[in-house]
Amino acid sequence: MKNAVIVGSGIAGIVSAKILSDQGYKIKIIEASNNTGGLMSSKIYNNYYFDHGPHLIQETEKKVINNDLFKNFKKYCHSYKSLPQDSYLNGKWSKSNSFANLTNFNKKIFNKIFKEIIQSKLKKKIKFKNAQKYYEYYYGSTLTNKLIKPLVKKYTGYNLKELKAEIGSLFNLKRFIIASPQITRKLKKNSNLNNVLGFNNYHEGVSGRKNFYPKSGGINNILNILIKNKKKKIKILTNCSVQFLKKENDKIKYLRLSNGKKIYVDKLIWTGNTNILSSLLNFKIKKIKKINKYIYWNFFHYTANNSIRKKVFYSYNYEKNIPIYRITYYDNFQKKNNHKNKFRMTVEVITPKKKDLAKLDKKIKNSLSKMNILMKKNKINLVDSYNIPYAFEKSLNEKNPTFNKIKNLNLFGQAVNKFSKDEIIKHIFKKLVYSKKSK
């Protein structure tokens, strides 16, 4: 039986393990932390699960991949073709989509915004040096200055002139609601307007691809489902790292781990930062002068003593004076609440600098009442809070062409600057299933 070593236990590592085990490999997954899953992990507190990053996994547009990867998910997961969401702006809720509803502005401002956006249908696609120019060109100066600019400043601490063109996409500031469903459908027939207008209802415009969430546990259980019944072939080593790689000719022969064990490999999968791999292989790393721009993604996990008013999966906020970015309501998309008189939710707050979490907690609770999410007698309890630095403009890992010369090495996920689940999965199947190199 051939041996494969996979470095990293996130979605890239687990999908690779599933495919290679089907191909007959015996697999060891090396994980530096004490938990598996990477961003697709969950935290558990007193039997309550809260997700660390993504909340669902979606099918790809490739049926052959879906049949291979998700064929057993129906038994273990809830599936959804659309995700109920709502949004909050200017003290009003839009009950059926996640986009900022610009009709919530006063009539004078809205009319100006509407006119400027409609004019964008005559404009061609061009490249812009900064986000200010980009948004003024396609969205108009009124929307840019009234909504996009202050929100991006709130999240990043930077002005639009200092940022790359489509920075707003990171904060759900790409599409907006400006008209009734009937008018919106007509306007979206124009390619330029289609890129800046969202459908009024989350049911419209969906891909039809299923989204999955485990019936029990958190999103981390997705990874367990992928490699279920493969424990004899797959072993996961946590709190472990690669200390040494032995290369002979055009292949990796063996590696030595931090626990002292020496493992011979027929195939090596690397899903992490390639600078570490370059160092292990004694490759020269070019100095990158560009400075990363960071923000802090703050997570607040709460339980409520009663069911809350919301029936959606997510709520988005677009008011600059309210700290909340998004709220996730786990019990709505997990369908069944296993805990009597308790309700789970995660509130995300994005800040340009590290903030006092206790002060943010107080502001969040006040905001939840102001937004009419919590009933008067409904009390919430903070289970945990933490923040994660996120480089929203970053220097990409050096793409070292020497890696391609190593025949039994594959780079996936972060190692090739792929971060979306869909993109990662398709790339892995292309290389391990359809490529000649995988044979």
Side-chain angles (χ1 to χ4, degrees), residues 221-252:
N221 219 14
I222 289 287
L223 304 182
N224 298 328
I225 294 166
L226 284 170
I227 58 175
K228 202 172 185 68
N229 303 321
K230 296 180 182 295
K231 291 184 179 180
K232 290 183 178 179
K233 286 187 176 182
I234 300 173
K235 186 176 181 180
I236 302 176
L237 303 175
T238 56
N239 292 312
C240 193
S241 60
V242 180
Q243 299 292 305
F244 176 79
L245 285 174
K246 175 63 177 178
K247 179 174 167 288
E248 279 192 4
N249 300 320
D250 55 1
K251 289 186 177 182
I252 303 293

Coordinates of all heavy atoms in Angstrom, one line a residue, residues 221-252:
N221 N -18.0 18.9 11.8 CA -18.5 17.5 11.6 C -18.5 17.2 10.1 O -18.5 16.0 9.7 CB -19.9 17.3 12.2 CG -20.0 16.0 12.8 OD1 -19.1 15.2 13.0 ND2 -21.3 15.6 13.1
I222 N -18.5 18.2 9.2 CA -18.4 18.0 7.8 C -17.2 17.2 7.4 O -17.2 16.3 6.6 CB -18.4 19.4 7.0 CG1 -19.8 20.1 7.1 CG2 -18.0 19.2 5.6 CD1 -20.9 19.5 6.3
L223 N -16.1 17.6 8.1 CA -14.8 16.9 7.8 C -14.8 15.5 8.2 O -14.3 14.6 7.6 CB -13.6 17.7 8.4 CG -13.5 19.1 8.0 CD1 -12.3 19.8 8.7 CD2 -13.4 19.3 6.5
N224 N -15.5 15.2 9.4 CA -15.7 13.8 9.8 C -16.5 13.0 8.9 O -16.2 11.8 8.6 CB -16.3 13.8 11.2 CG -15.4 14.5 12.3 OD1 -14.2 14.5 12.2 ND2 -16.1 15.1 13.2
I225 N -17.5 13.6 8.3 CA -18.4 12.9 7.4 C -17.7 12.6 6.1 O -17.9 11.5 5.5 CB -19.7 13.8 7.0 CG1 -20.5 14.0 8.3 CG2 -20.5 13.2 5.9 CD1 -21.6 15.1 8.2
L226 N -16.8 13.5 5.6 CA -16.0 13.2 4.4 C -15.2 12.0 4.5 O -15.0 11.2 3.5 CB -15.2 14.4 4.1 CG -15.9 15.6 3.5 CD1 -15.0 16.8 3.4 CD2 -16.5 15.3 2.1
I227 N -14.6 11.8 5.7 CA -13.7 10.6 5.8 C -14.2 9.5 6.7 O -13.5 8.7 7.3 CB -12.3 11.1 6.3 CG1 -12.4 11.8 7.7 CG2 -11.6 12.0 5.3 CD1 -11.1 12.2 8.3
K228 N -15.6 9.5 6.9 CA -16.2 8.5 7.7 C -15.9 7.1 7.1 O -15.9 6.9 5.9 CB -17.7 8.8 7.7 CG -18.5 8.2 8.9 CD -19.9 8.7 8.9 CE -20.6 8.2 10.2 NZ -20.1 8.8 11.4
N229 N -15.7 6.2 8.0 CA -15.5 4.8 7.7 C -14.1 4.6 7.0 O -13.9 3.6 6.3 CB -16.6 4.2 6.8 CG -17.9 4.3 7.4 OD1 -18.1 4.1 8.6 ND2 -19.0 4.6 6.7
K230 N -13.2 5.6 7.1 CA -11.9 5.5 6.5 C -10.8 5.5 7.6 O -9.6 5.8 7.3 CB -11.7 6.6 5.5 CG -12.6 6.5 4.3 CD -12.4 7.6 3.3 CE -13.4 7.5 2.2 NZ -13.3 6.3 1.4
K231 N -11.1 5.3 8.8 CA -10.2 5.4 9.9 C -9.0 4.5 9.8 O -7.9 4.8 10.3 CB -10.9 5.3 11.3 CG -11.9 6.4 11.6 CD -12.5 6.2 12.9 CE -13.4 7.4 13.3 NZ -14.1 7.3 14.6
K232 N -9.2 3.3 9.2 CA -8.1 2.4 9.0 C -7.0 2.9 8.1 O -5.9 2.5 8.2 CB -8.7 1.0 8.5 CG -9.5 0.3 9.6 CD -9.9 -1.1 9.0 CE -10.7 -1.8 10.1 NZ -11.2 -3.1 9.6
K233 N -7.5 3.7 7.1 CA -6.5 4.2 6.1 C -6.0 5.6 6.5 O -5.0 6.0 5.9 CB -7.2 4.3 4.8 CG -7.4 2.9 4.1 CD -7.9 3.2 2.7 CE -8.1 1.9 1.9 NZ -8.5 2.1 0.5
I234 N -6.7 6.4 7.3 CA -6.3 7.8 7.6 C -6.0 7.9 9.1 O -6.9 7.6 9.9 CB -7.5 8.7 7.2 CG1 -7.8 8.6 5.7 CG2 -7.1 10.2 7.5 CD1 -9.0 9.4 5.2
K235 N -4.9 8.4 9.4 CA -4.5 8.8 10.7 C -4.1 10.2 10.8 O -3.4 10.8 10.0 CB -3.3 7.9 11.2 CG -2.9 8.1 12.6 CD -1.8 7.1 13.0 CE -1.4 7.3 14.5 NZ -0.3 6.4 14.9
I236 N -4.7 10.9 11.8 CA -4.4 12.4 12.0 C -3.6 12.6 13.2 O -3.9 12.1 14.3 CB -5.8 13.1 12.2 CG1 -6.7 12.9 10.9 CG2 -5.5 14.6 12.3 CD1 -8.0 13.6 11.1
L237 N -2.4 13.3 13.0 CA -1.5 13.6 14.1 C -1.6 15.0 14.4 O -1.2 15.9 13.6 CB -0.1 13.2 13.7 CG 0.2 11.7 13.2 CD1 1.6 11.6 12.7 CD2 -0.1 10.8 14.4
T238 N -2.1 15.4 15.5 CA -2.2 16.8 15.9 C -1.0 17.2 16.8 O -0.2 16.4 17.2 CB -3.5 17.1 16.7 OG1 -3.6 16.2 17.8 CG2 -4.7 16.8 15.8
N239 N -0.8 18.5 17.0 CA 0.3 19.1 17.7 C 1.6 18.5 17.1 O 2.6 18.2 17.8 CB 0.2 18.7 19.2 CG -0.9 19.4 19.9 OD1 -1.0 20.6 19.7 ND2 -1.7 18.7 20.6
C240 N 1.7 18.5 15.8 CA 2.8 17.9 15.1 C 3.2 18.7 13.9 O 2.3 19.3 13.3 CB 2.4 16.4 14.7 SG 3.8 15.4 14.2
S241 N 4.4 18.8 13.5 CA 4.9 19.5 12.4 C 6.0 18.8 11.7 O 6.6 17.9 12.2 CB 5.3 20.9 12.8 OG 6.4 20.9 13.7
V242 N 6.3 19.2 10.4 CA 7.4 18.6 9.7 C 8.7 19.4 10.0 O 8.7 20.6 9.9 CB 7.1 18.7 8.2 CG1 8.2 18.1 7.4 CG2 5.8 18.0 7.8
Q243 N 9.7 18.7 10.4 CA 11.0 19.3 10.8 C 12.0 19.2 9.7 O 12.9 20.0 9.6 CB 11.5 18.7 12.1 CG 10.6 18.8 13.3 CD 10.5 20.3 13.7 OE1 11.5 20.9 14.0 NE2 9.3 20.8 13.8
F244 N 11.9 18.1 8.9 CA 12.9 17.8 7.9 C 12.3 17.1 6.7 O 11.5 16.2 6.9 CB 14.1 17.0 8.5 CG 15.1 16.6 7.5 CD1 16.1 17.5 7.2 CD2 15.2 15.3 7.0 CE1 17.1 17.1 6.3 CE2 16.2 14.9 6.1 CZ 17.1 15.9 5.7
L245 N 12.8 17.5 5.5 CA 12.4 16.8 4.3 C 13.6 16.3 3.5 O 14.6 17.0 3.4 CB 11.6 17.7 3.3 CG 10.2 18.0 3.7 CD1 9.6 19.1 2.7 CD2 9.3 16.8 3.7
K246 N 13.6 15.0 3.1 CA 14.7 14.4 2.4 C 14.3 14.3 0.9 O 13.3 13.6 0.6 CB 15.1 13.1 2.9 CG 16.2 12.3 2.1 CD 17.5 13.1 2.1 CE 18.5 12.3 1.3 NZ 19.8 13.0 1.2
K247 N 15.0 15.0 0.0 CA 14.6 15.0 -1.4 C 15.7 14.2 -2.1 O 16.9 14.5 -1.9 CB 14.5 16.4 -1.9 CG 14.2 16.5 -3.4 CD 14.0 18.0 -3.7 CE 14.0 18.2 -5.2 NZ 15.4 18.1 -5.8
E248 N 15.3 13.3 -3.0 CA 16.2 12.6 -3.8 C 15.8 12.7 -5.3 O 14.7 12.3 -5.6 CB 16.3 11.1 -3.4 CG 17.2 10.8 -2.2 CD 17.4 9.3 -2.0 OE1 17.0 8.5 -2.9 OE2 18.1 8.9 -1.1
N249 N 16.7 13.2 -6.1 CA 16.4 13.5 -7.5 C 15.1 14.4 -7.6 O 15.2 15.5 -7.2 CB 16.2 12.1 -8.2 CG 17.4 11.3 -8.2 OD1 18.5 11.8 -8.3 ND2 17.3 10.0 -8.0
D250 N 14.0 13.9 -8.2 CA 12.9 14.7 -8.4 C 11.7 14.3 -7.5 O 10.5 14.6 -7.8 CB 12.4 14.7 -9.9 CG 12.2 13.2 -10.3 OD1 12.3 12.3 -9.5 OD2 11.9 13.1 -11.5
K251 N 12.0 13.7 -6.3 CA 10.9 13.2 -5.4 C 11.3 13.5 -4.0 O 12.5 13.5 -3.6 CB 10.6 11.8 -5.6 CG 9.9 11.4 -6.9 CD 9.5 10.0 -7.0 CE 8.7 9.6 -8.2 NZ 8.3 8.2 -8.3
I252 N 10.3 13.6 -3.1 CA 10.5 13.6 -1.7 C 10.5 12.2 -1.2 O 9.6 11.4 -1.5 CB 9.3 14.3 -1.0 CG1 9.1 15.8 -1.5 CG2 9.5 14.3 0.6 CD1 10.2 16.7 -1.2

